[in-house]
Amino acid sequence: MNLPRLSRPKWMNATTALLATLVASGVVLAQGPKAPQFPTLGDPHLNVIPRTATESLRIAAATANPMDFSIPQRFEDRAAGAATVRVKPGTSAFSQPSANLGFAKELDFRVGNGLFRKLWVSAPSSTLASDGLGPLFNARSCQRCHIKDGRGHPPENPDDNAISMFLRVSIPGDPTASDRQIPEVIATQPDPVYGNQLQDFAVQGHSAEYQLAIRYDEKVVTLADGTKVYLRDPTYAAINLGYGPLHPDAMLSPRIAPQMIGLGLLEAVPAADIIALADPDDRNGDGISGRPNIVWSLEFDQPMLGRFGLKAGHPTILQQTAAAFAGDIGISSPLFPAGHGACTDRQPNCIAAPHGDKDIRGFEIDQQGLDLVSFYSRNLGVPARRDVDDPAVLRGKELFHSTGCATCHQPSFVTHRLHDRPEHSFQLIWPYTDLLLHDMGPGLADNRPESRATGQEWRTPPLWGIGLTQQVSGHSDFLHDGRARSLLEAILWHGGEAEAQKDAVIQMPAQDRAALLRFLESL
């Protein structure tokens, strides 16, 4: 990897203090008994090759912010390094294997894709390898939510089901209870009847838990040049409840399925590099105070850095995958072994229903199947950037940096050197996320905590591929619940730590605002 420019040092005092806190609290741990020789701040890799001092200097140079916005940075058109794929026309642009997968691994990718797309059926069934659906579920396959591996969307009319959207639910927990020594965790617990997630479908003979209802009110933002932008402000309700009322203190959080590209590369970013960007007390005074979410790893049986999910609630792709099988489809796995999926003790008929985990598989999806789906999810290729040398794109990139957007949407990282995953090893990538939690203000709040994330905090979403959303998904719905119908609407919903950036966009001349959007569309 060549050096495109000189490094600019980052503020390090808060990093040092935070790392000391994590060490003292037990969060900074080795990866577990399989690889104790590599203490990597909870990185989910077993075969990390430590960086040399020389490599660290090269990485600092390669990931430094640009000084000259009249030309593209070197390698930025290759958003995922050697794993970058060409921009395929049509709706399959996000469904390609990483470009650097070998032939044998591409076969694993195809098999994983088959399992990702497989329609599960209720038990008992003659199709033993596919039974075990539900009894309560949100979708019959992974692909039904992550349509073409792209973004989900809210229902557009009363007849449109919420197949790629659901509600998480929890109630406040005992604030004095500790959660496995995770510092600053906010105590919550599942709704006693409905658990942690509401399912809007059920197998024959059972009632679905609810129906999602959304009401939109109109909110108008007037830009400095007089342009009016109309935002839709949603209110969510769970109606037609199948098992009695929700707990009176139930906290509901709407979620649409996020795009799937580049996940393995995000998993390969060193946790130390992510935590180094945190500034929880905003000691440098820039108004940005990103925090890491620390969550419990079922895979490694220890606290780890959260990376995946809209509030960074899962530490690894394997755990995220297994949790989705359990909560979304009702499929048991070695990490979530309950054959009844998300049914609770208050739903005894659901628990007693036939399940698909009593045959030779042991679980409805076994470890091999879970590994294959996780492999597929890790290796969905990121399409190449477009128009990186276009003057409007370059101007938009300059505005993206000068307004402070790049503070949270960190442009680039270099991944770990990895023995066991060469396709993700030592790649310069451009995901435009810091994977940290940020307070986005009351306008975007779901008011539902998740581990250390408050009800106003969200993980910075990656921006790579965002300009292909319309092509892949047939819509331009953004944010955690799809309320924004354009990139401009998404920006105008920013608040909290991003209030100054939103105000800067409101004040921009129309030409500059168009250039900023042009840059985002090039990602």
Side-chain angles (χ1 to χ4, degrees):
M1 183 173 63
N2 296 323
L3 295 181
R5 55 206 175 280
L6 295 176
S7 173
R8 188 167 69 190
K10 297 182 182 295
W11 178 76
M12 295 299 294
N13 292 333
T15 298
T16 303
L18 181 58
L19 291 178
T21 300
L22 292 173
V23 171
S25 64
V27 169
V28 178
L29 299 172
Q31 300 169 48
K34 294 183 180 179
Q37 69 271 33
F38 297 127
T40 55
L41 297 171
D43 281 313
H45 294 283
L46 302 181
N47 292 292
V48 173
I49 305 171
R51 291 173 175 172
T52 66
T54 300
E55 285 178 341
S56 295
L57 289 173
R58 294 170 61 200
I59 289 167
T63 57
N65 288 334
M67 300 296 181
D68 182 358
F69 290 96
S70 67
I71 57 173
Q73 291 167 265
R74 295 185 66 185
F75 315 115
E76 71 172 315
D77 58 327
R78 297 168 62 83
T84 306
V85 298
R86 65 183 180 87
V87 181
K88 188 176 182 179
T91 60
S92 297
F94 289 171
S95 300
Q96 305 173 74
S98 296
N100 56 352
L101 276 184
F103 177 78
K105 288 191 173 182
E106 189 169 335
L107 179 60
D108 289 340
F109 177 89
R110 301 298 179 190
V111 176
N113 184 23
L115 291 170
F116 190 84
R117 296 166 61 92
K118 181 169 77 168
L119 294 175
W120 294 84
V121 298
S122 58
S125 170
S126 59
T127 311
L128 295 179
S130 299
D131 71 353
L133 176 68
L136 303 173
F137 61 97
N138 295 107
R140 289 182 58 199
S141 74
C142 307
Q143 181 78 17
R144 288 287 182 94
C145 288
H146 300 279
I147 303 165
K148 305 301 289 186
D149 305 298
R151 297 174 186 273
H153 62 88
E156 298 296 334
N157 58 67
D159 298 324
D160 185 12
N161 65 41
I163 193 66
S164 57
M165 185 177 190
F166 63 81
L167 294 176
R168 292 207 187 280
V169 59
S170 57
I171 64 174
D174 180 359
T176 65
S178 62
D179 186 5
R180 303 209 190 199
Q181 300 180 351
I182 297 176
E184 302 176 27
V185 69
I186 303 170
T188 62
Q189 59 190 42
D191 181 277
V193 175
Y194 292 94
N196 282 316
Q197 181 171 322
L198 292 171
Q199 283 83 23
D200 51 354
F201 293 100
V203 301
Q204 187 173 5
H206 296 267
S207 298
E209 289 188 318
Y210 85 120
Q211 181 181 353
L212 176 63
I214 310 175
R215 187 191 78 233
Y216 289 112
D217 296 318
E218 191 170 80
K219 179 178 177 179
V220 182
V221 177
T222 303
L223 307 181
D225 61 5
T227 301
K228 293 184 182 298
V229 181
Y230 297 89
L231 308 181
R232 52 182 186 179
D233 190 1
T235 300
Y236 299 96
I239 63 173
N240 298 330
L241 292 164
Y243 299 87
L246 288 162
H247 190 280
D249 297 325
M251 302 174 287
L252 301 177
S253 179
R255 307 289 177 90
I256 63 168
Q259 66 184 30
M260 297 284 292
I261 57 174
L263 297 182
L265 292 164
L266 295 177
E267 192 175 49
V269 174
D273 291 359
I274 297 168
I275 292 174
L277 298 172
D279 182 9
D281 300 318
D282 190 23
R283 294 191 183 181
N284 64 354
D286 66 354
I288 306 299
S289 51
R291 302 190 307 127
N293 204 357
I294 306 299
V295 298
W296 191 258
S297 169
L298 298 174
E299 188 179 353
F300 294 94
D301 195 34
Q302 66 180 45
M304 290 177 65
L305 174 69
R307 301 170 187 249
F308 302 106
L310 293 166
K311 285 182 179 278
H314 289 290
T316 65
I317 293 170
L318 184 74
Q319 182 165 320
Q320 172 83 5
T321 300
F325 267 116
D328 300 353
I329 314 178
I331 297 300
S332 65
S333 69
L335 284 189
F336 294 87
H340 52 74
C343 302
T344 70
D345 293 341
R346 302 282 187 90
Q347 299 166 326
N349 292 336
C350 182
I351 291 177
H355 307 304
D357 56 355
K358 302 303 183 184
D359 53 40
I360 193 171
R361 291 172 294 172
F363 301 99
E364 290 161 342
I365 186 166
D366 60 16
Q367 188 64 52
Q368 183 180 23
L370 194 61
D371 287 341
L372 285 166
V373 176
S374 299
F375 183 84
Y376 171 76
S377 301
R378 286 190 187 100
N379 287 288
L380 283 161
V382 180
R385 282 276 310 278
R386 285 85 56 212
D387 304 322
V388 294
D389 57 353
D390 182 280
V393 170
L394 290 168
R395 173 59 179 158
K397 177 182 171 182
E398 182 178 14
L399 291 164
F400 187 84
H401 281 264
S402 65
T403 58
C405 301
T407 307
C408 297
H409 289 283
Q410 174 72 15
S412 59
F413 290 97
V414 172
T415 61
H416 270 306
R417 283 196 181 275
L418 301 169
H419 277 302
D420 55 341
R421 297 180 190 172
E423 61 274 11
H424 303 141
S425 180
F426 208 59
Q427 300 298 318
L428 173 60
I429 62 172
W430 304 78
Y432 286 87
T433 175
D434 59 8
L435 296 175
L436 296 174
L437 300 172
H438 293 276
D439 185 335
M440 297 302 292
L444 286 179
D446 66 349
N447 299 310
R448 177 184 178 271
E450 189 170 333
S451 192
R452 302 191 342 149
T454 71
Q456 290 192 176
E457 287 182 316
W458 298 95
R459 182 206 65 165
T460 306
L463 297 183
W464 52 11
I466 198 168
L468 297 173
T469 300
Q470 181 68 46
Q471 174 184 321
V472 171
S473 301
H475 64 76
S476 55
D477 296 339
F478 301 109
L479 301 177
H480 65 280
D481 56 1
R483 70 178 68 185
R485 294 160 295 186
S486 68
L487 290 170
L488 179 58
E489 285 188 27
I491 293 169
L492 296 179
W493 271 110
H494 282 50
E497 296 176 41
E499 188 79 28
Q501 287 70 37
K502 176 189 71 177
D503 290 344
V505 173
I506 290 174
Q507 296 300 321
M508 278 182 186
Q511 185 174 357
D512 281 353
R513 189 168 62 248
L516 176 64
L517 297 175
R518 183 83 176 84
F519 165 70
L520 294 174
E521 290 165 355
S522 77
L523 296 179

